[in-house]
Amino acid sequence: MRKFRLLMACIIVAGGITSCQKEETKNELPEEVAVQPTKAELEKLFNMGINIDNVTIEDIPSFDGTTTKHFVSGDITIPYDGLDDYAELGALEDGNKQYRTPNIVAPAFRNIRILGYTGGGAALSSKMQTALSWAVANYNALPNTLNFNLTFGTNTAAADIIVYKVNNSSGGASAGFPSSNGRPYRYVRINSGMDSFTTNVNEHVMGHEIGHCVGFRHQDWFNRQSCNYTGPLPAESPAIWIPGTPLSFYEDSIMLACFGPNEDGEFSSSDIQSLNILY
């Protein structure tokens, strides 16, 4: 989940896994269900450019009350049964720049229908709905090939991305990356605790997670500077730099790993530049 940067007691280099709030449940699960990733799974995730310092396997709730297993690293979620759909990366040139995943949204799927979910306990609050409207407007204001059509309701069948609320009192959200089929990642999960933040901060978090859905990495993925992380750094740089983006890793990007209480929700110049280069 994307984490509020002041809540650092449980944040690790993976970008905010709150493992100290979780209790061991291995003995409560059937033996055939994996609780921790295998060595091979971790190797695959690493080769995808995912920080593997604290990857967990969790049941992620859907808007309809069902759950599906995902690998979780910070605010990044990868479907457990879909791991093979994601390409691996090689170690590329070092440099503190804007990064993306190997999979981006294919031209055929760049008219993206976003649904702000309004049904039952997964319904976005009024503040969240306003923030989502602002975040989508930021994307649509850019002169590129991405186009977002936002509606509110419960018709999930007609949506490419579904934004819904999950019952979690902490600030943050989670999403994933496009898979090899060229479609955007389908689910953005907003923690209920985001209602305690301003509409602008909600806009920032919504825009960040949509960024992941269309293929953007954390700009500071390699050192988590926005999370005040000072631990060991990855030995390699398995991410794809977007040519033409700035050298600075601390550009106040909307794609920084952690956020603060005063975010304005707007794209930085490097965000705009990288979106327009990529799409």
Side-chain angles (χ1 to χ4, degrees), residues 2-279:
R2 185 134 202 255
K3 289 293 175 184
F4 179 45
R5 70 165 64 102
L6 297 182
L7 304 179
M8 293 305 301
C10 302
I11 290 181
I12 309 176
V13 67
I17 300 293
T18 53
S19 57
C20 60
Q21 297 179 3
K22 301 171 67 64
E23 297 192 5
E24 181 60 59
T25 58
K26 186 173 183 179
N27 294 333
E28 301 173 7
L29 296 172
E31 289 186 4
E32 67 272 19
V33 177
V35 175
Q36 296 297 329
T38 65
K39 182 179 179 180
E41 289 167 343
L42 288 174
E43 183 176 358
K44 167 72 174 183
L45 290 167
F46 179 82
N47 290 337
M48 290 165 52
I50 304 297
N51 191 300
I52 61 171
D53 283 2
N54 196 36
V55 174
T56 57
I57 298 175
E58 301 182 22
D59 288 322
I60 301 294
S62 183
F63 54 87
D64 60 2
T66 61
T67 60
T68 53
K69 285 196 179 304
H70 286 70
F71 297 99
V72 178
S73 175
D75 68 330
I76 304 303
T77 60
I78 303 295
Y80 181 78
D81 291 332
L83 186 60
D84 290 340
D85 292 338
Y86 289 83
E88 297 184 6
L89 298 172
L92 302 180
E93 63 176 282
D94 290 333
N96 306 326
K97 309 173 180 96
Q98 198 90 4
Y99 292 91
R100 68 170 176 88
T101 64
N103 299 327
I104 63 173
V105 180
F109 305 121
R110 291 181 184 175
N111 288 316
I112 300 171
R113 301 165 298 178
I114 294 189
L115 176 70
Y117 195 72
T118 59
L124 298 178
S125 67
S126 176
K127 179 187 292 184
M128 293 173 181
Q129 291 182 41
T130 299
L132 179 57
S133 297
W134 292 357
V136 169
N138 289 340
Y139 280 93
N140 282 338
L142 301 182
N144 56 46
T145 59
L146 289 176
N147 179 61
F148 294 89
N149 179 27
L150 174 63
T151 59
F152 292 95
T154 59
N155 183 14
T156 57
D160 300 305
I161 297 176
I162 302 166
V163 184
Y164 63 97
K165 183 179 68 179
V166 295
N167 186 22
N168 187 327
S169 61
S170 66
S174 66
F177 299 133
S179 63
S180 57
N181 64 14
R183 293 181 180 274
Y185 186 79
R186 194 161 192 241
Y187 303 106
V188 172
R189 310 166 191 93
I190 305 298
N191 290 354
S192 57
M194 286 305 302
D195 257 336
S196 65
F197 293 85
T198 67
T199 307
N200 280 332
V201 173
N202 275 261
E203 175 192 10
H204 177 95
V205 171
M206 301 257 187
H208 176 101
E209 301 304 337
I210 292 171
H212 284 319
C213 289
V214 299
F216 281 92
R217 294 286 305 271
H218 291 141
Q219 190 179 30
D220 58 341
W221 71 273
F222 54 91
N223 67 0
R224 301 283 170 173
Q225 179 167 328
S226 64
C227 303
N228 299 320
Y229 177 72
T230 58
L233 301 178
E236 298 185 43
S237 300
I240 299 175
W241 168 55
I242 301 172
T245 57
L247 298 181
S248 172
F249 60 81
Y250 206 70
E251 288 281 317
D252 194 29
S253 169
I254 202 169
M255 294 310 301
L256 292 172
C258 288
F259 66 96
N262 299 313
E263 308 291 356
D264 62 12
E266 306 307 315
F267 288 134
S268 69
S269 59
S270 65
D271 294 329
I272 294 172
Q273 186 176 9
S274 58
L275 276 162
N276 291 338
I277 289 172
L278 199 57
Y279 289 107

